Amino acid sequence: MARNCRGQAQLGGLFLTFLGCVCSCATTVLPKWKKLNLELNEMVTWNLGLWEVCVEQEEAGTVCKAFESFLLMPLELQVSRILMVASQGLALLGLLFSGLGSDCSRFPRNQWVLKKFLCLLGGALEASASATILFSVSWVAYVTVQDFWDEHVPDIVPRWEFGDSLFLGWAAGLFLASGGTLLIVSTCLRRQGASLPRRAGPTASFAFIPAEEFLLSSISRQDL
């Protein structure tokens, strides 16, 4: 029963981890970390991402332009780009290791210690990827809020607001954190038949008859 629960928890953790990886990739690629609507022309929306800036117009469509230099980007976007790329590597490695260490994979016998180590390592990597993503999107959100409520900026100046990528990044971090926690908890469950060796139960005692008595009894039976 415990083994079935452990296997189901591992499958749930792998599924949440996969969802977190997909959302994390979308967060990194989509240029919607910040958005800006001009009051003079509400039909035009500016979107700022980690790789490019896009302008959406209802008539002309969407036009994107990549950053000319990495150093020209705001500091929070520079750090977020590095951390998001690092989180992709951590999440993919964690998914690989946890998949190899789960009960679904087949290892040679007496290798359950290695599988346990791989599953724990995968869960730890997923937790690290989650912390990296949450730090990146939360820092960008904090800077956006500070700039939005800055009293030194005139009210007529447009302000950047939260983009859809920030919410997607928060969802990715929660998925990865939940998946990593499930993998670690399921691995720590007691493994039946591995921690304690089987011992033979008490059996009926055999009565051993000395050889001389056995011979005498057999001779007496023949005489009768």
Side-chain angles (χ1 to χ4, degrees), residues 24-141:
S24 177
C25 292
T27 303
T28 306
V29 174
L30 291 178
K32 292 186 177 182
W33 283 62
K34 293 182 178 182
K35 68 178 181 179
L36 177 65
N37 293 325
L38 300 177
E39 295 182 358
L40 298 178
N41 189 0
E42 297 180 355
M43 299 176 63
V44 178
T45 303
W46 291 73
N47 291 314
L48 182 63
L50 300 180
W51 309 94
E52 56 187 1
V53 180
C54 296
V55 180
E56 295 181 2
Q57 299 179 1
E58 294 185 2
E59 298 180 356
T62 303
V63 179
C64 297
K65 182 180 179 181
F67 291 107
E68 297 180 357
S69 175
F70 177 76
L71 299 178
L72 295 177
M73 299 172 54
L75 178 60
E76 67 273 11
L77 294 183
Q78 293 179 8
V79 178
S80 297
R81 180 193 284 191
I82 297 174
L83 293 179
M84 290 301 295
V85 173
S87 67
Q88 302 302 313
L90 292 175
L92 292 177
L93 285 177
L95 184 61
L96 176 62
F97 290 153
S98 57
L100 292 176
S102 63
D103 292 344
C104 300
S105 62
R106 294 184 179 181
F107 264 63
R109 293 183 177 180
N110 300 327
Q111 295 295 327
W112 62 272
V113 178
L114 178 60
K115 293 184 65 176
K116 180 179 180 181
F117 172 75
L118 289 176
C119 201
L120 288 175
L121 179 60
L125 290 176
E126 298 299 341
S128 301
S130 172
T132 305
I133 295 173
L134 292 177
F135 176 79
S136 301
V137 295
S138 298
W139 187 18
V140 174

